[in-house]
Amino acid sequence: MATGPLRLTDRPVPEPGQGELLIRVLCCGVCRTDLHLAEGDLRPRRADVTPGHEVVGEVVAAGDGTTRFGPGDRVGVAWLAGTDGSCRYCRRGSENLCPRSVYTGWDRDGGYAEYLLAADGYVHPLPSGFSDAELAPLLCAGIIGYRALRRAELPPGGRLGIWGFGGSAHLAAQVAMAGGAAVHVFTRAPAARRLALDLGAASAQDSFDPSPEPLDSAIIFAPVGDVVPPALRNLDRGGTLAIAGIHLSDIPALNYTGDLFQERTLRSVTANTRGDAEEFLRLAERLRLRVSVTPYPLDAADRALADLAADRITGAAVLMMT
Ligand SMILES: [Zn+2]
Ligand SMILES: [Zn+2]
């Protein structure tokens, strides 16, 4: 981020094509994936793509063939922007694994902008009871955190460990606690530890501290492979560790007996399905999740990403258009 990789440019307002909506952006969340893209951990799929995939906006025009939304509707645009709908993964309900899937702010221009286009079939209705800024982090941080929580196979009333406590983790933790879980948080950021305890976490400690009790499930949100062995070691027999991020630094060598034996499971999380999004957004409304937001103006996107890289943001950063 030190080189200022983002450029503020003027482009014509795009025209919606077949099945597309033109959306005026009200605000857009800043996700760690945007940082990976800006810093080159994640290769761009298209030159000069506009980042941003936690978009809260208002439909201003609808192209031919749109059926779900029209002008005036407030909608959310998330990471998954399209799939082929026909491959073996799509047919079995795993559209998140579709090899021809496309993503907002990676393949298609995203929400660090005043306007964007999105496919009608991949746009989400928004839950009520939240401000625009609070809604934005729900759209990726929230949805991915929810999928990660499900992938971690947390039993009802179980013990969950969370490594890294930013936008995604602070929402997933609340969902877990609503289900009666004891949540233990591991992060190097003191402000994030305070937020965790404030939200009701059972404990909060440094990334490499031992867990106060064995864990049934764990989720790694930090993009740091070094925490995989300690997370595995803190699992109880038969426990599951899910890695939530799209990018992780290399995982150090594991010790089979100490880290994996006794049927501990290590798994990844890859994007999300539209079903995950629908379920999570309904749940967010029902549970009245608390969303911790730090607002930035659009032209401070570089600063927001730099703050995210340096752990200076508590909760989620959101770019506001006005
Ligand atoms: Zn497919
Ligand atoms: Zn994201």
Side-chain angles (χ1 to χ4, degrees):
M1 287 314 300
T3 63
L6 299 191
R7 275 181 296 116
L8 190 62
T9 58
D10 277 310
R11 287 181 184 165
V13 177
E15 297 268 329
Q18 178 74 25
E20 285 183 331
L21 302 167
L22 174 65
I23 295 163
R24 184 171 65 85
V25 180
L26 299 168
C27 62
C28 182
V30 175
C31 174
R32 189 168 286 281
T33 300
D34 306 337
L35 179 60
H36 292 316
L37 193 60
E39 294 204 309
D41 294 324
L42 200 62
R43 290 239 230 109
R45 296 242 192 126
R46 197 158 66 63
D48 292 330
V49 72
T50 304
H53 57 271
E54 296 180 317
V55 187
V56 175
E58 185 186 332
V59 177
V60 289
D64 291 342
T66 54
T67 55
R68 299 175 65 227
F69 299 101
D73 289 340
R74 281 171 79 258
V75 294
V77 183
W79 178 234
L80 185 70
T83 61
D84 60 12
S86 59
C87 70
R88 74 175 71 208
Y89 310 101
C90 285
R91 287 201 312 269
R92 72 174 195 218
S94 305
E95 65 180 2
N96 60 309
L97 301 179
C98 178
R100 280 173 289 277
S101 52
V102 291
Y103 297 92
T104 313
W106 197 17
D107 302 277
R108 299 181 61 121
D109 282 329
Y112 287 22
E114 292 172 296
Y115 293 90
L116 86 163
L117 297 174
D120 184 54
Y122 288 81
V123 165
H124 302 285
L126 294 169
S128 62
F130 297 96
S131 69
D132 292 342
E134 288 169 337
L135 285 166
L138 300 180
L139 289 162
C140 178
I143 294 167
I144 297 285
Y146 176 67
R147 185 173 179 91
L149 187 58
R150 288 189 25 232
R151 294 277 295 158
E153 309 275 3
L154 180 66
R159 302 155 296 174
L160 172 69
I162 291 180
W163 272 262
F165 201 76
S168 203
H170 93 289
L171 297 170
Q174 292 177 67
V175 174
M177 289 185 285
V183 173
H184 300 283
V185 171
F186 303 81
T187 172
R188 63 185 179 178
R193 290 201 287 266
R194 281 194 297 276
L195 175 62
L197 294 172
D198 188 40
L199 290 171
S203 77
Q205 46 267 302
D206 211 341
S207 311
F208 293 92
D209 287 348
S211 175
E213 59 179 338
L215 304 169
D216 299 299
S217 303
I219 306 171
I220 293 179
F221 288 101
V224 183
D226 287 336
V227 300
V228 171
L232 284 169
R233 275 196 293 276
N234 282 303
L235 285 181
D236 202 350
R237 294 174 175 220
T240 301
L241 168 61
I243 298 173
I246 194 169
H247 167 82
L248 191 78
S249 57
D250 285 348
I251 300 173
L254 296 176
N255 176 271
Y256 181 64
T257 306
D259 300 341
L260 215 46
F261 195 56
Q262 302 294 357
E263 303 204 338
R264 280 168 285 183
T265 301
L266 171 60
R267 40 169 53 178
S268 66
V269 179
T270 300
N272 63 275
T273 66
R274 282 171 285 177
D276 296 328
E278 216 172 283
E279 270 177 46
F280 171 73
L281 293 172
R282 253 201 314 267
L283 199 58
E285 182 175 79
R286 186 158 64 76
L287 299 178
R288 298 183 166 279
L289 295 184
R290 274 172 61 191
V291 189
S292 174
V293 166
T294 306
Y296 292 81
L298 174 62
D299 62 8
D302 261 333
R303 184 159 55 82
L305 286 170
D307 287 349
L308 179 62
D311 275 345
R312 284 192 294 262
I313 294 169
T314 305
V318 177
L319 304 179
M320 308 301 297
M321 295 308 138
T322 44

